[in-house]
Amino acid sequence: MKYHRIKCEIYKAEGKTWERMAEELLLSAVRRERVVRLIFFTACKDNQEYRQQRTFLEQWADSHFPSPRPVVSVVAQKPLEGELVLEVHSLPLSVDEAVTLEERFASSVRYLRITSADYREIIAGGLCADDLNLPIREQSEQTFRKVEEILKAEQMNFGDIVRQWNYLEGITDIAHGNQCYQDFNDVRSQFYATSEWQSGYPAATGIGAQHGGIQIDFNAVSGKIGIIPLDNDWQRAAHVYSDEVLISHRPDTEKGTPKFERGKSLSDHQQEVIYISGTAAIRGEESMVTGDVLWQTEITLENIQHLIGLEEGKEKLPEHSGKLELLRVYLKNEKDAQIVKEDLDKLCPGVPVAYLYADVCREELLVEIEGIAHL
């Protein structure tokens, strides 16, 4: 049994026009082997500019990448280091086992399928509603239907999703009595109720974006791979949060909890990859807050190291940081980027990090961190 880990890299560009920076990053990516996903983090002033940037990137990928071309996601989160950031996911060449990579379609939705003798993995990205101006609930329903179409085409279900990224424009806004994130969670709960969850919910991130409506990326896996949900006994599982931390003032609907695990392990008994969900300074289900972003950052890192089994304490994190392949750091305030970067340079030296301006799902939380670890 062999699981072929997807490699993740971060590229950054600055000091040129947006188009020149985009082409520079794309040229770096096109030289990589078997690229399966491109995620661009970009600043834009409105949804019209967002659509223009997305069209440019998708057309460039269509023209320059060999088939099967990677799926493309464009996230309207302003980079706080560099002016345009690209995260590249690729499938390294294997010399010991045949692995196929195919481009597939479910109705009009495009995705990639990785197949080996032991498992099948679906890579999907950039899934969104056709109209970004629809209410969040309607956008969420349209987007989850596209996810459902892909899974049904592969004879899978929501329970096969191992990693999911949820990007929400105006995540903490209140509309018709509900927080936008709560509207999204209500819809997610409805779709997830159609599946059994034998290996737990996905590792997931629900994070704000400046524009772009609702967008979902996901990986789904079925086969002989060991898939284990990871709990953190310092944090209450998000899918059993109490009503006190769910923001809704609508008496006619039951509040859906955020359906995700703190992490997800994929293992072939020789190597293991851990998807680390979006993590913040939360213990139990309560936010551990002061006005200090560095304190919240270090509490968040302690939560992460506890999740992946590094018990020596935060002062020992540097000697173990090679276990982390990649981190994304989402910051509520742009001004915090430099001091948080200086802190993480000491705590996680050598780990690729993307620093992004994004609203976190609770008003009092200043930072959220997600990542990938190899054990």
Side-chain angles (χ1 to χ4, degrees), residues 54-65:
R54 181 167 174 153
T55 298
F56 176 92
L57 296 167
E58 288 177 341
Q59 289 179 346
W60 199 101
D62 282 338
S63 300
H64 294 80
F65 279 89

Side-chain angles (χ1 to χ4, degrees), residues 84-211:
L84 186 62
V85 170
L86 171 61
E87 190 174 299
V88 179
H89 296 189
S90 58
L91 184 67
L93 291 170
S94 171
V95 296
D96 60 345
E97 183 181 354
V99 178
T100 61
L101 180 61
E102 304 170 86
E103 183 175 1
R104 307 283 294 176
F105 289 88
S107 299
S108 60
V109 185
R110 185 184 168 282
Y111 63 96
L112 295 182
R113 180 170 71 187
I114 300 166
T115 308
S116 80
D118 294 308
Y119 73 95
R120 182 163 32 108
E121 182 161 8
I122 302 307
I123 309 293
L127 304 178
C128 61
D130 298 328
D131 182 355
L132 302 183
N133 296 313
L134 290 172
I136 292 299
R137 182 173 289 268
E138 292 180 42
Q139 287 193 52
S140 300
E141 290 171 348
Q142 287 189 18
T143 306
F144 272 106
R145 286 194 194 101
K146 293 180 179 181
V147 175
E148 189 174 51
E149 285 180 14
I150 293 172
L151 294 170
K152 284 183 175 179
E154 292 294 325
Q155 298 182 319
M156 290 181 170
N157 58 55
F158 286 100
D160 292 312
I161 299 176
V162 295
R163 184 62 168 105
Q164 185 170 316
W165 293 268
N166 310 297
Y167 307 104
L168 288 78
E169 179 180 354
I171 187 171
T172 57
D173 292 352
I174 303 295
H176 308 293
N178 253 21
Q179 186 190 60
C180 288
Y181 187 46
Q182 186 59 52
D183 272 340
F184 175 86
N185 284 326
D186 291 346
V187 173
R188 171 164 55 178
S189 295
Q190 292 167 13
F191 277 87
Y192 276 16
T194 64
S195 298
E196 296 182 1
W197 296 89
Q198 297 177 353
S199 300
Y201 292 113
T205 301
I207 196 70
Q210 283 86 61
H211 303 288

Side-chain angles (χ1 to χ4, degrees), residues 301-321:
L301 282 175
E302 287 180 353
N303 285 339
I304 288 173
Q305 77 181 88
H306 187 63
L307 178 77
I308 64 177
L310 303 179
E311 301 302 325
E312 291 83 357
K314 66 183 179 182
E315 70 277 2
K316 297 290 188 180
L317 189 58
E319 70 183 68
H320 295 285
S321 61

Side-chain angles (χ1 to χ4, degrees), residues 59-80:
Q59 289 179 346
W60 199 101
D62 282 338
S63 300
H64 294 80
F65 279 89
S67 181
R69 82 148 171 88
V71 298
V72 177
S73 302
V74 183
V75 183
Q77 293 173 341
K78 180 181 177 182
L80 300 178

Side-chain angles (χ1 to χ4, degrees), residues 191-262:
F191 277 87
Y192 276 16
T194 64
S195 298
E196 296 182 1
W197 296 89
Q198 297 177 353
S199 300
Y201 292 113
T205 301
I207 196 70
Q210 283 86 61
H211 303 288
I214 299 295
Q215 183 175 201
I216 292 177
D217 297 355
F218 74 88
N219 292 16
V221 176
S222 67
K224 299 177 183 178
I225 301 304
I227 301 174
I228 301 172
L230 300 182
D231 197 11
N232 187 337
D233 58 5
W234 290 357
Q235 297 183 292
R236 188 174 188 181
H239 51 84
V240 292
Y241 274 168
S242 69
D243 279 0
E244 281 69 26
V245 295
L246 306 176
I247 301 177
S248 174
H249 306 291
R250 298 165 75 174
D252 57 329
T253 58
E254 182 179 350
K255 299 177 188 178
T257 55
K259 300 292 193 295
F260 69 92
E261 308 290 348
R262 296 297 177 185

